[in-house]
Amino acid sequence: MFITRFFVILFSLIFALVAAGIALAIGIMAPELVSMSSDPIEKFAFFAVAFFATSFAGMTAFVPAAVLIAIAETFNIRSIFYYAIGGGLIGAVAWYMSDISLQLENTTDLSPVTYGLQLVAASGIIGGFVYWLLAGRKAGRWKDPYAAT
């Protein structure tokens, strides 16, 4: 039962990180989407930013998210607020620990991101919510052999 739960946790964590990265990419690109044409280069730029944002979310959030998940599994924490607030805090801490806005300004021709902290916190909340939907609702159930799956 534990091995099955481990793979569910791992899959859900990866899926939540991808969802947070896509949310971050959409937030970064939203001002540009109004003026985006059907030019394939602009579409490629969107997917490049999405890949960069997903990579950023994965690099900065994997270990802290795994710690929060281990705590939730140990203490049977199944609250949606735990995962959403935890994701938002991970995003905010990642924002303050990195120079992501400077990297974006130096590597892309996008307009400067003015609400970066809010974007990473919102993407963290979305990632926490996605994880809760997939695995967090059943945190710690693997320890009870009589629990319904």
Side-chain angles (χ1 to χ4, degrees):
M1 187 71 171
F2 174 74
I3 297 207
T4 304
R5 183 67 185 162
F6 175 77
F7 283 113
V8 168
I9 290 169
L10 186 62
F11 169 76
S12 301
L13 178 58
I14 291 169
F15 198 77
L17 290 172
V18 169
I22 290 171
L24 184 59
I26 290 171
I28 291 170
M29 292 293 292
E32 305 292 326
L33 289 177
V34 176
S35 63
M36 186 182 282
S37 65
S38 62
D39 183 24
I41 294 175
E42 290 182 359
K43 290 180 180 178
F44 175 77
F46 172 75
F47 288 110
V49 170
F51 176 76
F52 176 76
T54 304
S55 304
F56 171 76
M59 286 185 310
T60 59
F62 187 82
V63 173
V67 169
L68 285 178
I69 290 167
I71 292 169
E73 289 289 328
T74 303
F75 296 107
N76 301 341
I77 301 172
R78 298 184 184 119
S79 171
I80 188 172
F81 297 113
Y82 174 80
Y83 295 101
I85 292 170
L89 288 175
I90 289 171
V93 169
W95 172 259
Y96 285 117
M97 292 181 65
S98 69
D99 56 349
I100 186 74
S101 64
L102 182 62
Q103 290 175 4
L104 282 173
E105 288 179 27
N106 290 339
T107 59
T108 64
D109 59 348
L110 298 173
S111 58
V113 178
T114 55
Y115 299 106
L117 177 60
Q118 292 87 342
L119 285 175
V120 294
S123 69
I125 291 169
I126 290 169
F129 178 70
V130 167
Y131 181 82
W132 175 82
L133 279 175
L134 297 174
R137 298 178 295 153
K138 297 183 180 186
R141 286 216 177 148
W142 57 273
K143 296 187 287 184
D144 185 7
Y146 302 108
T149 54

